[in-house]
Amino acid sequence: MTIGKNLEQAIKQAHERLNNLLQRAEYTKKHYKDISQRELFTEAIAEISISLEELQVLGEELQQQNDELVATRHLVEAERQRYQDLFDFAPDAYFVTDTNGTIQEANHAAAQLLNVRQSYFIRKPLLVFVHPAHRPKFRELLTELQQETKICSHQTQIFHQDGKIDFPAEVTASKVEGDGKPVSLRWLLRDITERQQTQQKIREQAALIDITTDAIIVRDLQNQILFWNKGAENLYGWQTEDVTGYEEIFSQDSLEIEAALKTVVESGSWQGELRRYTRKGKELIVATRWTLMRDNADLPKSILSVDTDITEKKQLELQVLRAQRLESLGTLASGISHDLNNIFTPIMTVAQLLPMKLKNLDERSLEMLDLLESSAKHGADLVQQILSFARGSEGKRSTMQPSYLLEDIAQIIKGTFPKSINLNIDIAPDLLTVVGDASQLHQVFINLCLNARDAMPNGGDLSISAVNLCIDALCAKMNKKAKVSSYVLITITDTGVGISPKIIDRIFDPFFTTKDIGKGTGLGLSIAIGIINSHGGFLDVSSEVGLGSQFQVYLTSSDRTIIQPVDEMELLTGEGQLILVVDDEAAITQITKTTLEIHNYRVLTAEDGIEALALYNQYKQEIRVVLMDIMMPSMAGATAIRTLQRMNPQVQIIAMSGLVSAESLAQARGAGIQGFLLKPFSAKDLLNILQGVLVMD
């Protein structure tokens, strides 16, 4: 603008100079005749030269200014084009509207987003591209934008072409002012479909993390807890706010944890089993998998661990292992019971025969023989109990008076327990009877008393009581193991060391024991509770560390009366019948032969089935009964029996065995055997069954 004004001023001055020259020329012509035309012309040329020089300078300045204007115009055009390119090719949709929301400009991304031409938007309200359900909220946005300079992160729903275009969008809007008044509005629309899907996926994953039963924990390398999911809350009992930011809260082997941390840092992962404790002190076994997490620079950042509670699984595995051990115990017991019963049979029979052979025995000797017989019977009963426990058989049941058992146990305690243990007995005089196996129940009470003794190494009080008890419906509801019935309650109480609450639920597990190696098998209480359950009863235990324990045995009472056996004054005798006794145990054949001969029988003996067949073939016309052991070498008893039956279908056979079961009895009856004699047997058992077979003959 300055150069233009200067140019106008120079032209004006040139005109003024020319006018002055013309005026001077006229004036000179009139008044000064002596001045020549040449002088005037020279002066005019000089004035014109000055003006032309000035005009040239100004022309050059004007040209320079024009060049600058052209350059500036090019720069403005380039900036405008750059803005237009940014506007058109931006990844998000841009709109420029007037203050009422009518579209004035729309970029290429907006056209692509709504699948229309850019010109389609012009002079259309932006509101028509908003979902009808969101339009009231969008109108509020327009009103709000009149008051605010900029609005960010408003979400709406874009809708066009009858629903073909329908997606969530994030809106950012700003107001452009001129002279202090709004002149236009600028809008940015961003399709957030993918973002919402990602957020939904994250929410779903977070929900899965929370509903999983596994404990998911994230810790930093200093072992501080950063993340703790709902599964961890449910498994361990601590809430998220209780543990976040704290170091390891589990009580566990620090050496094992250090080894695991070293492994996960070196190799990136570790898995194994850990023993942990909940907030309430409950012990858990968890299978845990640790993974090393890294940051963007691939540096170790944290450790992700996933813990699965396998406590129940481990318990099941332990139960399977125990079942296998019990099966092994049953196999072992089955293998040795026959041999043990073969040992007990001569002892019992000799104890019965000696008083008959030696008439002048004193009372002390007779008591010793009674003790010998009783001990042999108890030994045989113990073998049978182990078999019953291993195989689940019930044993021999009869109506019995528990007070007799308890009195017998009291005598054993007085004779064998340390004198530092005071025994208190309190048995109700009107105690009802129960139906059960006397030998098995005897073992239950003995085991409980032995445990009480071991719990009082420095002495104490041992109390045994028995009362009648009626459990009604209310009491039965309070104890799931009870039923509405009459019971005999036997209580055994000690003042010993007591049982820790942590192990009281495990004391009935087979092979579980707190005693030192060699001082306990862990089978006593398992056998006891198995016997009580098989009798339809139940057992309760209560204990307090340092004060002692109490075991309460509930046995269903019976209204049956006990039929007292009538002692037989004399054993049944034979009439000279010939009996073939077959057994591989020389002691049994010898004592059986002696017993039978004392009672007027003739006897042949054989050591195995082959010898028995030879003797029977020789004396089959005279042999009345064959007494044969089932388990023998060379030829099994069952094979020898079938061979004898082919030789003589009417042969009378009594089978003997120290290993009996319901299955073996059924097989014996199905094989046509007339009697079954269980070892160890007494002389009376032998003579009674023999007499019964001879009577049927």
Side-chain angles (χ1 to χ4, degrees), residues 89 211 246 256 273 348 369 373 402 479 505 631 637 659:
F89 297 107
I211 66 174
Y246 288 88
E256 188 176 18
E273 295 179 5
M348 290 175 58
L369 289 174
E373 181 182 0
N479 192 325
D505 291 334
M631 299 177 64
L659 182 62

Side-chain angles (χ1 to χ4, degrees), residues 8-60:
E8 290 177 358
Q9 185 67 27
I11 294 174
K12 183 177 179 181
Q13 289 175 356
H15 281 294
E16 288 176 355
R17 288 190 183 97
L18 290 174
N19 288 331
N20 288 334
L21 287 173
L22 291 174
Q23 290 176 2
R24 286 177 60 192
E26 290 292 333
Y27 181 80
T28 300
K29 186 177 179 180
K30 290 179 179 181
H31 298 88
Y32 300 99
K33 301 295 186 178
D34 57 335
I35 297 176
S36 64
Q37 292 290 331
R38 183 178 178 82
E39 291 178 347
L40 289 174
F41 183 72
T42 301
E43 186 177 353
I45 289 173
E47 290 291 338
I48 290 170
S49 296
I50 292 171
S51 296
L52 287 175
E53 287 178 358
E54 289 178 350
L55 288 174
Q56 183 177 2
V57 170
L58 291 173
E60 290 175 355

Side-chain angles (χ1 to χ4, degrees), residues 93 233 246 250 447 562 586:
E233 291 182 0
Y246 288 88
F250 306 111
N447 283 340
I562 300 176

Side-chain angles (χ1 to χ4, degrees), residues 609 613 628 630 634-646:
L613 294 178
M628 182 176 292
I630 292 179
S634 300
M635 177 182 288
T639 304
I641 289 171
R642 287 195 297 271
T643 306
L644 287 173
Q645 289 171 340
R646 283 197 294 269

Side-chain angles (χ1 to χ4, degrees), residues 286-348:
V286 297
T288 182
R289 285 87 66 198
W290 293 9
T291 303
L292 185 66
M293 309 299 291
R294 297 181 178 273
D295 58 18
N296 293 333
D298 201 32
L299 296 175
K301 179 179 66 173
S302 59
I303 296 174
L304 168 68
S305 64
V306 180
D307 296 352
T308 303
D309 183 7
I310 60 170
T311 308
E312 185 175 349
K313 177 186 175 184
K314 284 294 182 182
Q315 290 173 346
L316 290 174
E317 290 177 353
L318 185 59
Q319 289 177 10
V320 171
L321 179 60
R322 287 170 178 165
Q324 292 173 344
R325 293 174 68 183
L326 286 175
E327 184 179 354
S328 300
L329 175 64
T331 303
L332 177 62
S334 298
I336 67 174
S337 62
H338 180 76
D339 293 334
L340 287 175
N341 286 327
N342 282 340
I343 295 172
F344 290 134
T345 297
I347 297 174
M348 290 175 58

Side-chain angles (χ1 to χ4, degrees), residues 575-615:
E575 298 177 353
Q577 296 97 327
L578 182 60
I579 310 298
L580 175 58
V581 179
V582 187
D583 200 303
D584 60 310
E585 290 289 335
I588 291 180
T589 56
Q590 184 59 44
I591 195 64
T592 303
K593 178 180 179 181
T594 302
T595 303
L596 292 176
E597 288 178 344
I598 289 174
H599 292 85
N600 200 26
Y601 289 98
R602 293 181 297 133
V603 180
L604 294 173
T605 61
E607 294 182 357
D608 53 43
I610 297 174
E611 185 180 356
L613 294 178
L615 286 173

Side-chain angles (χ1 to χ4, degrees), residues 71-359:
T72 300
R73 186 168 61 249
H74 285 316
L75 287 174
V76 170
E77 180 63 24
E79 286 295 319
R80 188 198 68 78
Q81 187 61 44
R82 189 159 67 90
Y83 162 77
Q84 189 66 39
D85 290 342
L86 289 173
F87 184 75
D88 278 337
F89 297 107
D92 297 315
Y94 282 100
F95 295 93
V96 178
T97 70
D98 61 18
T99 55
N100 295 320
T102 301
I103 299 173
Q104 297 173 336
E105 291 183 73
N107 71 342
H108 182 67
Q112 284 189 323
L113 196 61
L114 291 170
N115 196 25
V116 295
R117 302 183 308 277
Q118 284 180 261
S119 60
Y120 178 81
F121 291 111
I122 308 305
R123 292 186 295 279
K124 286 185 174 59
L126 184 59
L127 186 69
V128 301
F129 300 102
V130 176
H131 195 283
H134 290 256
R135 287 174 185 172
K137 187 69 176 177
F138 195 81
R139 290 190 183 96
E140 293 178 9
L141 179 64
L142 273 172
T143 303
E144 186 179 349
L145 199 56
Q146 300 297 328
Q147 309 298 327
E148 303 290 339
T149 303
K150 187 174 182 180
I151 295 177
C152 299
S153 300
H154 171 80
Q155 289 192 9
T156 188
Q157 191 77 13
I158 300 301
F159 185 85
H160 187 52
Q161 294 182 358
D162 297 328
K164 294 180 181 178
I165 304 295
D166 190 359
F167 59 87
E170 181 182 70
V171 177
T172 300
S174 62
K175 179 173 58 176
V176 179
E177 294 184 345
D179 297 329
K181 295 181 180 180
V183 293
S184 65
L185 304 176
R186 295 178 180 175
W187 306 80
L188 182 148
L189 270 68
R190 178 173 294 152
D191 184 355
I192 59 173
T193 303
E194 185 175 349
R195 183 202 300 175
Q196 287 192 348
Q197 290 174 347
T198 302
Q199 291 174 345
Q200 178 64 23
K201 186 175 181 180
I202 292 172
R203 286 193 294 269
E204 291 173 355
Q205 290 173 343
L208 287 174
I209 289 175
D210 277 341
I211 66 174
T212 180
T213 56
D214 290 341
I216 301 176
I217 305 167
V218 178
R219 295 165 295 164
D220 62 19
L221 299 182
Q222 285 71 46
N223 218 24
Q224 288 188 341
I225 295 174
L226 305 176
F227 177 77
W228 183 268
N229 78 327
K230 289 290 184 184
E233 291 182 0
N234 297 333
L235 183 60
Y236 295 116
W238 283 282
Q239 300 300 309
T240 301
E241 57 270 18
D242 297 332
V243 299
T244 303
Y246 288 88
E247 293 186 3
E248 189 66 56
I249 59 175
F250 306 111
S251 300
Q252 50 195 355
D253 188 348
S254 59
L255 293 178
E256 188 176 18
I257 295 300
E258 288 177 7
L261 285 171
K262 181 179 179 182
T263 301
V264 77
V265 170
E266 290 177 352
S267 63
S269 64
W270 175 84
Q271 62 180 6
E273 295 179 5
L274 294 175
R275 192 176 299 274
R276 288 181 166 173
Y277 294 91
T278 68
R279 187 172 191 171
K280 295 183 178 179
K282 181 182 178 183
E283 184 181 82
L284 298 177
I285 300 175
V286 297
T288 182
R289 285 87 66 198
W290 293 9
T291 303
L292 185 66
M293 309 299 291
R294 297 181 178 273
D295 58 18
N296 293 333
D298 201 32
L299 296 175
K301 179 179 66 173
S302 59
I303 296 174
L304 168 68
S305 64
V306 180
D307 296 352
T308 303
D309 183 7
I310 60 170
T311 308
E312 185 175 349
K313 177 186 175 184
K314 284 294 182 182
Q315 290 173 346
L316 290 174
E317 290 177 353
L318 185 59
Q319 289 177 10
V320 171
L321 179 60
R322 287 170 178 165
Q324 292 173 344
R325 293 174 68 183
L326 286 175
E327 184 179 354
S328 300
L329 175 64
T331 303
L332 177 62
S334 298
I336 67 174
S337 62
H338 180 76
D339 293 334
L340 287 175
N341 286 327
N342 282 340
I343 295 172
F344 290 134
T345 297
I347 297 174
M348 290 175 58
T349 309
V350 168
Q352 290 179 335
L353 290 180
L354 282 177
M356 299 172 59
K357 294 283 287 182
L358 305 173
K359 301 295 185 179

